[in-house]
């Protein structure tokens, strides 16, 4: 009886040790959730005084705090990015922010009301957000 | 003058030797051997021929001291004897001694026969015994062996070279002919705990990065199965890139592995190279 217990205990110990010895491998990058890679948000930017007939929105790409130094490419279907060589595309370096690594681009729309689809691309992964363009006209209430 | 080699005294017991035998010289005047005795391997005992000797016989005895009393037990048949005709003009004879146990005292009883001349009468045989003592010494190095082999990890399907240090609870002589039967009679000579490193990747199905520049560390249990061949199992510690492609840091991982290898004496390999480098 005692021998059986010892055999059972030994087998259980071996099984536990083998289970511990084999940690799960890192999953395939494709199975990582998109919001663990990049998440877009957009805010109307009152601090930036728009010119007559413009709307100004800040598009933020949020990356995990342990993200390596990388670049986010923003693309928009409407309006232009401030400081961009090609109006609808801009590459922005990721920098440490208060809530992890972030990249920001300022989207300006002039006299073009509508909904812009803004994409952020990192390492082949693309996140999408939509921005309602509502240009502000002087004298408008 | 050269020495005369005497075959093993164990009649009917074939001794296969695959390495150069060590030679231990006997100092008859001091009554001891000139160097610590090797254990676990056949060696040669070189005895200078005493003047006037006509016959020399050897008896190897273990020495045990119990309650202050010294007792000796023969470990080797005493029929090992040589006559003057055997050694001829040589100044020394060499006896082949079977493997001795580690950390034990031994006494070599050498029975020397002399034929005294009695003028015109026939010679008279006179026997005397010379006792020589020695001990099979061990050091920490005798508890550690090095090996090299192949490692196969189960989950990553990683295959690579492995070199490791094996630690035993008893002294090990890697030149000893270890047999499968000794697994059961002397299991402590077979079981070892080892620490090692995998310096070379041969094949892998999952991404495996070395934990250190020289390789990934491993720890495990080894089992010597035959001569210098060994099997083992343990845990390999390594790194993998984070599953998130934008995260730069790696993640520490571990995997169960099995190994097969052979004892390797790096000293024997690297020593001559170091000597050459030192000389140049």
């Amino acid at each position: 009886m005692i021998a059986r217990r010892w055999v059972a205990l030994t087998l259980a110990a071996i099984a536990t040790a083998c289970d511990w010895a084999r940690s799960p491998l890192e999953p395939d990058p494709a199975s990582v959730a998109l919001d663990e890679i990049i998440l877009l948000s957009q805010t109307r930017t009152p601090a930036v005084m728009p010119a007559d007939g413009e709307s100004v929105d800040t598009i933020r790409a949020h990356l995990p705090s342990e993200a390596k130094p990388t670049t986010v490419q923003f693309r928009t279907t409407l309006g232009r990015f401030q400081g961009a060589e090609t109006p609808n595309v801009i590459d922005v370096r990721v920098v440490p922010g208060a809530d992890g690594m972030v990249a920001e681009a300022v989207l300006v729309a002039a006299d073009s009301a509508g909904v812009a689809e803004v994409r952020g691309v990192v390492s082949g992964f693309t996140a999408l957000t939509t921005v309602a363009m509502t240009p502000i006209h002087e004298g408008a209430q | 003058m050269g020495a005369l080699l005497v075959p093993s005294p164990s009649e009917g017991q074939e001794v296969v030797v695959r390495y150069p035998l060590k030679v231990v010289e006997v100092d008859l005047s001091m009554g001891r051997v000139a160097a610590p005795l090797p254990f676990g391997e056949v060696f040669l005992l070189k005895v200078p021929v005493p003047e006037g000797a006509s016959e020399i016989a050897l008896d190897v005895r273990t020495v045990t001291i119990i309650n202050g009393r010294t007792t000796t037990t023969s470990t080797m048949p005493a029929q090992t004897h040589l006559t003057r005709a055997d050694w001829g003009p040589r100044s020394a004879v060499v006896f082949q001694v079977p493997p001795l146990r580690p950390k034990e005292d031994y006494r070599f009883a050498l029975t020397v026969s002399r034929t005294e001349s009695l003028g015109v009468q026939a010679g008279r045989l006179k026997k005397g015994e010379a006792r020589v003592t020695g001990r099979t010494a061990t050091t920490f190095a005798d508890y550690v062996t090095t090996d090299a082999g192949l490692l196969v990890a189960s989950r990553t399907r990683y295959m690579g070279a492995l070199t490791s240090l094996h630690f035993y609870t008893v002294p090990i002589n890697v030149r000893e002919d270890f047999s499968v039967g000794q697994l059961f009679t002397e299991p402590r000579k077979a079981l070892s705990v080892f620490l090692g490193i995998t310096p070379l990747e041969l094949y892998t199905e999952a991404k495996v990065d070395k934990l250190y520049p020289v390789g990934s560390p491993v720890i495990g249990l080894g089992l010597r199965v035959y001569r210098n061949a060994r099997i083992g199992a343990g845990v390999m510690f390594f790194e993998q890139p984070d599953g998130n492609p934008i995260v730069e840091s790696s993640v520490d991982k571990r995997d169960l592995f099995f190994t097969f290898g052979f004892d390797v004496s790096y000293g024997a390999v690297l020593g001559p190279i170091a000597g050459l480098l030192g000389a140049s």
Side-chain angles (χ1 to χ4, degrees):
Chain A
M1 193 66 182
I2 291 172
R4 275 187 203 168
R5 280 183 192 166
W6 272 110
V7 170
L9 274 173
T10 306
L11 290 176
I14 291 171
T16 307
C18 290
D19 186 55
W20 173 84
R22 301 173 79 216
S23 60
L25 300 179
E26 276 302 296
D28 190 286
S31 66
V32 178
L34 187 62
D35 59 1
E36 290 177 25
I37 299 169
I38 179 170
L39 182 66
L40 292 188
S41 67
Q42 44 98 3
T43 51
R44 186 53 57 96
T45 313
V48 178
M49 182 56 69
D52 185 36
E54 283 186 345
S55 74
V56 178
D57 293 86
T58 299
I59 313 297
R60 286 165 61 93
H62 303 262
L63 282 77
S65 56
E66 63 270 33
K68 60 190 170 189
T70 187
T71 303
V72 177
Q73 186 174 77
F74 292 101
R75 298 173 191 163
T76 181
T77 55
L78 198 63
R80 62 179 170 80
F81 288 111
Q82 205 172 60
E85 290 181 10
T86 307
N88 65 330
V89 180
I90 190 169
D91 293 328
V92 182
R93 293 285 294 173
V94 171
V95 293
D99 52 347
M101 303 291 278
V102 292
E104 286 184 353
V106 177
L107 179 63
V108 180
D111 287 332
S112 50
V115 176
E117 287 186 348
V118 181
R119 287 174 170 76
V121 183
V122 174
S123 300
F125 292 85
T126 304
L128 174 70
T129 187
T130 53
V131 181
M133 300 290 195
T134 50
I136 299 166
H137 291 276
E138 279 184 7
Q141 295 299 311
Chain B
M1 288 285 182
L4 178 70
L5 176 62
V6 176
S8 170
S10 311
E11 295 292 337
Q13 184 185 346
E14 190 184 357
V15 177
V16 180
V17 179
R18 287 181 298 279
Y19 44 81
L21 295 178
K22 287 180 183 171
V23 179
V24 177
E25 296 199 15
V26 164
D27 187 341
L28 283 175
S29 60
M30 298 294 285
R32 66 184 182 208
V33 292
L37 298 169
F39 64 90
E41 64 176 299
V42 176
F43 68 95
L44 302 176
L45 195 70
K46 187 176 179 183
V47 181
V49 176
E51 200 175 332
S54 58
E55 187 179 306
I56 304 173
L58 173 69
D59 186 18
V60 181
R61 294 169 165 271
T62 53
V63 179
T64 317
I65 300 173
I66 302 171
N67 296 332
R69 282 190 62 191
T70 302
T71 58
T72 62
T73 314
S74 183
T75 62
M76 182 171 159
Q79 295 89 339
T80 307
H81 67 276
L82 293 168
T83 61
R84 187 178 289 156
D86 293 321
W87 67 75
R90 296 179 180 89
S91 61
V93 290
V94 177
F95 293 94
Q96 186 169 298
V97 181
L100 304 179
R101 286 192 294 273
K103 292 197 285 189
E104 281 199 4
D105 291 307
Y106 286 89
R107 177 179 292 168
F108 301 99
L110 290 157
T111 307
V112 179
S113 305
R114 291 185 176 88
T115 308
E116 288 187 342
S117 175
L118 298 170
V120 293
Q121 298 174 6
R124 190 176 67 186
L125 196 66
K126 195 177 178 184
K127 285 190 176 181
E129 188 178 86
R131 291 174 177 176
V132 178
T133 56
R135 184 174 173 80
T136 44
T138 61
T139 64
F140 174 72
D142 293 316
Y143 292 80
V144 185
T145 65
T146 51
D147 83 342
L150 197 65
L151 168 152
V152 178
S154 60
R155 182 161 285 178
T156 51
R157 302 286 190 270
Y158 173 96
M159 186 186 289
L162 169 71
T163 182
S164 46
L165 278 174
H166 288 257
F167 299 90
Y168 292 84
T169 57
V170 292
I172 298 294
N173 184 344
V174 291
R175 287 150 61 108
E176 180 180 353
D177 263 337
F178 190 82
S179 63
V180 178
Q182 283 175 276
L183 276 173
F184 306 99
T185 57
E186 296 176 286
R188 290 169 73 190
K189 281 187 177 177
L191 276 171
S192 62
V193 173
F194 66 87
L195 298 172
I197 203 111
T198 62
L200 181 66
E201 176 187 305
L202 301 174
Y203 171 81
T204 184
E205 287 185 9
K207 178 78 175 160
V208 172
D209 289 339
K210 292 174 183 174
L211 201 57
Y212 303 118
V214 289
S216 294
V218 303
I219 185 169
L221 290 173
L223 187 72
R224 197 147 65 120
V225 286
Y226 184 63
R227 289 187 185 165
N228 295 334
R230 187 185 286 105
I231 57 172
V235 186
M236 174 176 74
F237 300 89
F238 60 99
E239 281 187 340
Q240 281 195 307
D242 197 292
N244 189 332
I246 63 165
V247 172
E248 195 170 40
S249 59
S250 296
V251 184
D252 290 344
K253 293 287 174 181
R254 54 185 183 271
D255 199 4
L256 188 69
F257 72 84
F258 300 93
T259 178
F260 177 77
F262 293 91
D263 286 324
V264 171
S265 173
Y266 287 112
V269 176
L270 299 176
I273 298 171
L276 285 174
L277 291 175
S280 62

